[in-house]
Amino acid sequence: MDFNLSEDHKLIKDTINRFVRDEYDFETRLKIVEEGLGSSDKIWGQIAELGLVAAVLPEEAGGLGGTGLDIAVVMEEFGRGIVVEPYLATAVLGAGVLATIGGHDDLLESVIAGEVKLAFAHYEPEARYNPKRIDSNALKDGDGYTLTGEKSVVAHAGEADYLIVSAVADSEIGLFLVPADADGLSIRDYPTQDGGRAGEVSLDDVTLGEGALLATGADAQAAIDLAIDRGILAVAAEALGAMEAARDLTLDYLKTRTQFGVPIGKFQALQHRMVDLCLEVEQVRSLVTLAAVKFDEPGPERDKALSAVKVKVGQAGRLVSEESIQLHGGIGVTWEYALGHIAKRLTMIDHSFGDTDYHLKRFIKLKKAA
Amino acid sequence: MHLEYSDEENAFRAEVRQYLADNLDPETARKVKEGANPSKDEIVAWHKVLAAKGWLAHSWPKEYGGAAFTPIEKHIFEEERVAAGGPEIVPFGVNMLGPVLLAFGSEEQKQTVLPRILSGEDWWCQGYSEPGSGSDLASLKTTAVRDGDHYVVNGQKTWTTLGQYANKIFSLVRTAKGGKPQEGISFLLMDMDAPGVSIRPIRTLDGGAEVNEVFFDDVRVPVDNLVGEENKGWTYAKYLLMHERVGIAGVPQAKEELKKLTKVAKETVNEDGDLLIDDPFFAVKLAQTEIELMAMELTNLRILYDAQAGGAPGVESSLLKLKGTQIRQELTDLTRRAYGPYAVPYTPEVLETGANEDPIGPRGAVMSAPKYFNYRKISIYGGSNEIQRNIVSKMMLGL
Ligand SMILES: Cc1cc2nc3c(=O)[nH]c(=O)nc-3n(C[C@H](O)[C@H](O)[C@H](O)COP(=O)(O)OP(=O)(O)OC[C@H]3O[C@@H](n4cnc5c(N)ncnc54)[C@H](O)[C@@H]3O)c2cc1C
């Protein structure tokens, strides 16, 4: 066994770490969030320029990698800076789907260059976290298709140039590429709890040409499954970075805040809780590592590792958020301090790609089947 | 032994219910029930509704316009208030300053200050905490220096709840140095619009505007505004903190939240098409929380009936605060989980008066996550839960 990152991964990690430190400090982030745009063109351009969109895409698709570890290394560092850019939506999910399906090299090239943004419009209003319940419909219409349906809480839908939409065509699942300006497509765009943006997407007789169909049947399902798995791994790694940031802030605060004439970290009641918090973060790191390494070896072990890490991230994310805030006292509940924003992101991660309960059930099913 | 309310208590409950049904503004109640914040005007109007009936100042004696409720009546009133959607009574005037003045104020202070609290002319806020003095309140640094028949006050207060609406602030200030830190503190009544007072909002993580920083820069305060004796403020402050903890268990609020959550669990479908109430993963947590609350309700009533019989509610209130905050925080956690992905959109504005946009997903989802985040505060303010544990272990257990 070797738990060390490769030189390439160390380089990516350092690059993002430096980028977040130099270009994306907390004040910058807060400004982007408060402007309500969901992201910053400048920052997005820099992310693309650093080759980071390509980092999570396979070489065949013009990328630089795209393995589980690639995703985990990148997202952990973005998590540390609670970056709100549409990286998950565009690079991990949208471009991930295009790369899986293949044959969209020009579009991918523009995505990699930072010129085009994508969103993955899959989950539906009645489905909760069920990725298999799709009521949206694609009717064959001459050479093309007409789409109707609703998609719910689609991350960064409002900023996307293209949406990748799932819909049932002829009782088979299909994936469609829908331009943001298509007639009949409307997006109710809104801010999210964690400073990002999302949208409710309505497809009201959206007519598309033949070329809009990306895949159907088993190919489409495989692309959707892989996208969601990439999403799970990505947010889990992001959560790890965010938890470490919360831990560091809290530890520092325990050493510097004094009450009753001593640093509050001298109180044993707080020491033990800080230790428990750190322990949980280490547990998360282990499961993120496991999921990342297993990611490229399809099979039940991989699937179990993904649900395991999502469960752990949900539980530890709650503990780390709540305890960090509590150990800070009043300062922990303020908008102007990073911790609250970290806690909000950690909490919302539990509300994406299936929450703790959903993945506990999935883990049990996988265990039973094994 | 029996666990029924008396006929008088039931009659009182019916009277409160009827009065609130007849007099509470429905738009205010809607906001409260949906988790939105009522406006300043709505809160003032609500206080007036209660004052008209003599029910605003629950613990004051009747001769000062109070309700003179027994501990049980207070509890019953709170249950009915919460069920009706009445805003929380702003505690700073009626529940904090009032009792201090009644116990330690001059007759003139009682005659001038108390009526203006009841009439709504004055909105008080609490100037205790400072940036460097939270749990260790006695270390506070704001100074008041005597100059003729005035004090000149300099320093900073923080976390001042609803200070943006207040025209008055009661402050703890240092009037003597040296000796034990508790010994040089005085309790001063101050005007928020006096020259040298300025205020800056502190936004909370959920985006809310409820706390502030208040700065004092050479603020001149007449010596008549000193409560009790100079350098005895700590005694009054401690007395006040005790009152602050009355009702701190929040049992009525928790019962209402549980009721709402149970309804959500009976209406919300999980990924397999089952209701959340039939989903053991969710239902177990819901049931466990309800069991805790059932116990808590009786623990609370045991302590209240004790207090009614003359036993002073002392350290027990620390226990109530601990468990009460844990249960209420857990309920906010379960509520945001129950709404699944619809906890993600952040659109509090759809609940404002006159808003004509529909919520995204169910209405109840709108404030579910903000409330979960906002409620981190309840284990921090009013003496953090760690401080409550310190109090219990020292005062009750002798450790
Ligand atoms: C929303 C909100 C509203 C508030 N409203 C008001 C108001 O209107 N007026 C007012 O005066 N104040 C108000 N407060 C202030 C509140 O009383 C303080 O936040 C509280 O006393 C804690 O102080 P602190 O925030 O400075 O935390 P600190 O005292 O710095 O505590 C930090 C951490 O250390 C722990 N700690 C401290 N001492 C010990 C110890 N001896 N043993 C173990 N652990 C310890 C604390 O529990 C906490 O976890 C409000 C606070 C909030 C969050």
Side-chain angles (χ1 to χ4, degrees), chain B residues 4-308:
Chain B
E4 306 303 321
Y5 285 108
S6 70
D7 289 347
E8 293 79 38
E9 286 162 348
N10 284 326
F12 174 71
R13 181 186 295 280
E15 189 190 0
V16 174
R17 186 171 300 178
Q18 190 60 49
Y19 186 74
L20 297 190
D22 294 342
N23 293 286
L24 169 60
D25 169 46
E27 171 60 7
T28 306
R30 176 198 63 84
K31 278 193 192 162
V32 171
K33 287 193 167 175
E34 292 181 352
N37 290 323
S39 67
K40 180 184 182 188
D41 289 349
E42 286 169 324
I43 297 172
V44 170
W46 161 243
H47 277 200
K48 287 197 169 140
V49 161
L50 296 179
K53 179 80 177 161
W55 282 352
L56 179 57
H58 293 178
S59 59
W60 304 5
K62 290 235 160 83
E63 53 182 304
Y64 288 101
F69 284 162
T70 64
I72 299 301
E73 282 171 339
K74 282 184 202 169
H75 177 71
I76 291 172
F77 179 92
E78 277 297 282
E79 287 197 334
E80 292 303 317
R81 170 188 72 78
V82 170
E88 200 175 317
I89 295 176
V90 180
F92 309 109
V94 291
N95 294 339
M96 296 187 184
L97 180 59
V100 167
L101 288 183
L102 286 161
F104 308 105
S106 66
E107 195 50 39
E108 160 151 20
Q109 284 167 344
K110 289 181 209 172
Q111 295 301 341
T112 54
V113 177
L114 298 182
R116 291 170 60 95
I117 293 175
L118 294 180
S119 69
E121 277 163 280
D122 287 342
W123 185 309
W124 286 89
C125 62
Q126 179 187 21
Y128 273 29
S129 307
E130 298 183 2
S133 307
S135 300
D136 182 15
L137 184 58
S139 68
L140 61 90
K141 293 194 178 62
T142 295
T143 54
V145 177
R146 188 74 184 257
D147 176 25
D149 50 7
H150 282 82
Y151 288 104
V152 180
V153 179
N154 280 289
Q156 184 195 339
K157 295 296 174 182
T158 192
W159 311 120
T160 325
T161 298
L162 299 183
Q164 72 268 36
Y165 299 155
N167 62 329
K168 302 273 181 183
I169 179 168
F170 55 88
S171 303
L172 292 181
V173 295
R174 187 158 298 288
T175 37
K177 295 208 172 94
K180 277 171 70 182
Q182 287 85 348
E183 280 162 9
I185 293 172
S186 297
F187 193 110
L188 269 193
L189 308 179
M190 301 174 66
D191 276 335
M192 288 293 279
D193 39 25
V197 180
S198 55
I199 181 166
R200 194 186 78 89
I202 303 175
R203 200 169 169 198
T204 48
L205 80 167
D206 55 312
E210 58 181 270
V211 282
N212 303 272
E213 292 178 292
V214 176
F215 302 89
F216 302 131
D217 182 14
D218 282 338
V219 182
R220 295 185 70 80
V221 181
V223 287
D224 287 348
N225 288 15
L226 176 74
V227 173
E229 290 176 49
E230 202 178 77
N231 300 332
K232 289 279 160 62
W234 188 250
T235 313
Y236 317 145
K238 273 202 320 207
Y239 180 83
L240 184 156
L241 284 177
M242 231 174 63
H243 274 263
E244 191 178 19
R245 283 183 203 128
V246 169
I248 204 129
V251 168
Q253 290 91 324
K255 279 170 72 179
E256 184 68 16
E257 293 300 331
L258 179 77
K259 209 167 100 188
K260 279 197 230 165
L261 176 57
T262 304
K263 188 159 174 279
V264 176
K266 287 178 175 174
E267 289 168 351
T268 308
V269 173
N270 73 5
E271 295 79 12
D272 301 323
D274 300 323
L275 291 172
L276 285 186
I277 195 85
D278 294 320
D279 175 341
F281 288 76
F282 189 84
V284 164
K285 283 179 280 209
L286 182 61
Q288 276 171 344
T289 309
E290 179 162 353
I291 291 165
E292 285 295 317
L293 181 54
M294 286 163 66
M296 176 80 212
E297 182 175 14
L298 228 63
T299 309
N300 189 41
L301 286 167
R302 279 167 50 207
I303 292 172
L304 289 179
Y305 274 92
D306 248 13
Q308 185 126 318

Side-chain angles (χ1 to χ4, degrees), chain A residues 34 124-131 133 152-153 188 190-194 198 200 253 257-261 269-270 273 314-315 317-318 321-323 325-336 339-341 343-345 347-348 350-352 354-358 360-361 364-365, chain B residues 130-137 139 159 200-207 211 268-272 276 279 281-282 285 329-330 333 336-347 349-350 357-361 365-366 369-370 372-374 376-377 379-380 384-387 389-390:
Chain A
E34 287 172 353
E124 302 205 345
E126 303 298 323
R128 201 175 167 90
Y129 299 116
N130 185 349
R133 168 147 183 207
S152 199
V153 200
R188 182 172 170 193
Y190 49 78
T192 52
Q193 303 290 340
D194 50 15
E200 300 299 289
Y253 198 73
R257 169 70 169 174
T258 61
Q259 287 290 276
F260 304 100
L270 305 191
R273 285 160 69 180
Q315 293 171 341
R318 180 181 177 195
S321 301
E322 295 183 355
E323 288 288 83
I325 290 176
Q326 183 67 26
L327 295 184
H328 271 80
I331 193 79
V333 301
T334 60
W335 181 269
E336 283 158 62
L339 183 59
H341 299 268
K344 288 194 285 183
R345 180 61 192 144
T347 308
M348 289 305 120
D350 194 33
H351 288 259
S352 32
D355 65 0
T356 306
D357 283 358
Y358 176 87
L360 263 175
K361 290 178 200 168
I364 293 168
K365 275 187 206 134
Chain B
E130 298 183 2
S133 307
S135 300
D136 182 15
L137 184 58
S139 68
W159 311 120
R200 194 186 78 89
I202 303 175
R203 200 169 169 198
T204 48
L205 80 167
D206 55 312
V211 282
T268 308
V269 173
N270 73 5
E271 295 79 12
D272 301 323
L276 285 186
D279 175 341
F281 288 76
F282 189 84
K285 283 179 280 209
Q329 289 180 333
E330 181 68 19
D333 178 73
R336 59 119 179 135
R337 279 167 201 278
Y339 285 113
Y342 285 121
V344 175
Y346 178 66
T347 59
E349 69 281 357
V350 304
E357 256 190 315
D358 285 333
I360 292 148
V366 177
Y372 166 73
F373 297 126
N374 181 273
R376 307 320 316 159
K377 72 185 178 189
S379 50
I380 295 171
S384 73
N385 280 14
E386 290 71 38
I387 295 299
R389 286 189 178 91
N390 287 350

Side-chain angles (χ1 to χ4, degrees), chain A residues 119-352:
Chain A
F120 180 55
H122 175 62
Y123 289 92
E124 302 205 345
E126 303 298 323
R128 201 175 167 90
Y129 299 116
N130 185 349
K132 294 277 159 63
R133 168 147 183 207
I134 300 303
D135 295 329
S136 293
N137 203 297
L139 208 65
K140 188 97 178 111
D141 178 6
D143 284 341
Y145 291 88
T146 301
L147 263 57
T148 47
E150 308 282 333
K151 299 290 177 177
S152 199
V153 200
V154 177
H156 292 282
E159 293 145 67
D161 300 291
Y162 290 92
L163 284 83
I164 293 168
V165 176
S166 55
V168 178
D170 238 352
S171 72
E172 270 198 328
I173 188 81
L175 277 173
F176 298 85
L177 186 66
V178 181
D181 58 2
D183 280 343
L185 175 77
S186 56
I187 296 171
R188 182 172 170 193
D189 176 44
Y190 49 78
T192 52
Q193 303 290 340
D194 50 15
R197 291 195 81 86
E200 300 299 289
V201 175
S202 295
L203 302 145
D204 187 10
D205 287 338
V206 176
T207 36
L208 301 170
E210 198 176 6
L213 179 69
L214 293 170
T216 49
D219 290 346
Q221 191 58 57
I224 292 167
D225 292 347
L226 183 58
I228 291 171
D229 288 348
R230 283 166 64 94
I232 292 169
L233 177 61
V235 295
E238 182 190 352
L240 171 61
M243 282 182 218
E244 290 195 341
R247 177 200 62 195
D248 294 348
L249 280 176
T250 307
L251 189 54
D252 189 52
Y253 198 73
L254 289 181
K255 290 176 179 169
T256 49
R257 169 70 169 174
T258 61
Q259 287 290 276
F260 304 100
V262 292
I264 55 175
K266 290 283 172 214
F267 300 124
Q268 209 164 54
L270 305 191
Q271 289 169 352
H272 288 189
R273 285 160 69 180
M274 190 66 213
V275 171
D276 289 348
L277 192 160
C278 291
L279 179 53
E280 286 303 296
V281 178
E282 291 309 318
Q283 292 285 85
V284 171
R285 173 165 295 284
S286 294
L287 284 180
V288 168
T289 304
L290 185 70
V293 172
K294 293 258 178 227
F295 194 81
D296 309 304
E297 307 162 16
E301 288 307 311
R302 163 193 181 276
D303 295 348
K304 261 178 85 180
L306 282 169
S307 277
V309 74
K310 194 65 177 49
V311 167
K312 190 71 212 171
V313 157
Q315 293 171 341
R318 180 181 177 195
L319 180 117
V320 170
S321 301
E322 295 183 355
E323 288 288 83
S324 300
I325 290 176
Q326 183 67 26
L327 295 184
H328 271 80
I331 193 79
V333 301
T334 60
W335 181 269
E336 283 158 62
Y337 190 62
L339 183 59
H341 299 268
I342 297 174
K344 288 194 285 183
R345 180 61 192 144
L346 283 173
T347 308
M348 289 305 120
I349 282 175
D350 194 33
H351 288 259
S352 32

